[in-house]
């Protein structure tokens, strides 16, 4: 999760391959009207996002019922959005790709053929509610380093969860952060 241009799709695809999981890109589920608004440089409102968030949750729940592991690349800028996406799921892990406005703006300028213009980046940073509950990974790391950091954090979480479940079921909160090196 993170603002446009932070590398969500790149990390998500690689992580899904490593986990043998399905990959979903939230951009593929935006209603056409939302895409046109963004293409025109108009930020989306919470009302605009509501059906999209519902659809993402439905996609997750449907796959969860089939026992599938899913990796989703999604902005999920606000805590309420993350709650809506993961509602009714037994577990969801958030990975926050963290980077500076300047670095991400430069990436957006170099990204051809995407409907999200650089002009909307400021509104995304303004809307971003930095997640306390997420694994945080710097976008200054290489893609391979990001994948390794995510895998280590997810494995650490799973190990800690198994140990904790033996002692006190349902009382675990784990925060793992990878900082710049």
């Amino acid at each position: 999760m993170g603002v446009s241009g932070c590398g969500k799709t790149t990390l998500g695809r690689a992580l899904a391959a490593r986990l043998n999981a399905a990959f979903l890109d939230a951009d593929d589920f935006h209603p056409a009207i939302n895409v046109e608004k963004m293409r025109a440089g108009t930020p989306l409102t919470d009302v605009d996002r509501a059906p999209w968030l519902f659809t993402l949750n439905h996609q997750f729940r449907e796959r969860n019922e089939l026992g599938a592991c899913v990796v989703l690349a999604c902005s999920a800028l606000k805590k309420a959005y993350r709650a809506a996406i993961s509602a009714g799921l037994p577990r969801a892990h958030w990975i926050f790709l963290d980077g500076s406005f300047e670095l991400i703006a430069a990436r957006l300028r170099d990204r051809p053929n995407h409907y999200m213009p650089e002009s909307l980046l400021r509104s995304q940073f303004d809307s971003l509610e930095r997640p306390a509950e997420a694994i945080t990974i710097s976008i200054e790391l290489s893609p391979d380093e990001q994948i390794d950091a995510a895998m280590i954090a997810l494995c650490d979480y799973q190990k800690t969860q198994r140990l904790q479940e033996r002692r006190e079921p349902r009382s675990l909160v784990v925060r793992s952060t990878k900082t710049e090196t």
Side-chain angles (χ1 to χ4, degrees):
M1 62 145 295
V3 299
S4 185
C6 69
K8 298 179 297 288
T9 300
T10 300
L11 178 61
R13 282 188 177 131
L15 193 57
R18 182 84 64 95
L19 294 169
N20 195 27
F23 173 73
L24 301 175
D25 191 326
D27 286 348
D28 296 339
F29 296 93
H30 270 297
I33 188 84
N34 286 5
V35 172
E36 289 309 312
K37 283 180 100 170
M38 289 183 282
R39 186 173 279 129
T42 304
L44 298 180
T45 66
D46 288 349
V47 172
D48 294 328
R49 286 186 182 92
W52 175 65
L53 296 169
F54 176 83
T55 298
L56 294 175
N57 175 262
H58 176 75
Q59 292 291 324
F60 259 123
R61 290 174 66 144
E62 194 173 72
R63 285 166 173 79
N64 183 67
E65 288 173 9
L66 298 172
C69 178
V70 178
V71 174
L72 171 71
C74 180
S75 55
L77 298 174
K78 294 183 179 183
K79 185 174 185 176
Y81 302 166
R82 296 186 290 276
I85 292 167
S86 61
L89 295 172
R91 70 178 173 268
H93 305 288
W94 295 98
I95 298 173
F96 172 50
L97 293 176
D98 191 19
S100 71
F101 178 87
E102 295 75 20
L103 176 57
I104 295 171
R107 287 182 174 189
L108 287 177
R109 283 189 294 274
D110 291 338
R111 184 169 73 173
N113 305 321
H114 194 275
Y115 61 79
M116 180 71 173
E118 181 188 345
S119 62
L120 289 180
L121 184 59
R122 177 53 59 200
S123 71
Q124 287 207 326
F125 268 90
D126 291 345
S127 295
L128 177 63
E129 294 173 1
R130 298 177 70 80
E133 74 278 10
I135 298 163
T136 300
I137 298 175
S138 171
I139 66 166
E140 293 188 17
L141 296 173
S142 72
D144 286 339
E145 290 171 321
Q146 289 177 16
I147 295 162
D148 290 344
M151 291 299 295
I152 289 167
L154 290 170
C155 288
D156 285 350
Y157 175 83
Q158 295 297 332
K159 288 176 191 174
T160 303
Q161 186 176 25
R162 282 192 297 272
L163 289 172
Q164 189 67 21
E165 285 174 350
R166 291 183 200 150
R167 296 182 199 131
E168 299 175 31
R170 301 181 189 270
S171 63
L172 177 65
V173 174
V174 174
R175 293 187 183 122
S176 181
T177 303
K178 172 75 176 177
T179 58
E180 297 176 31
T181 56

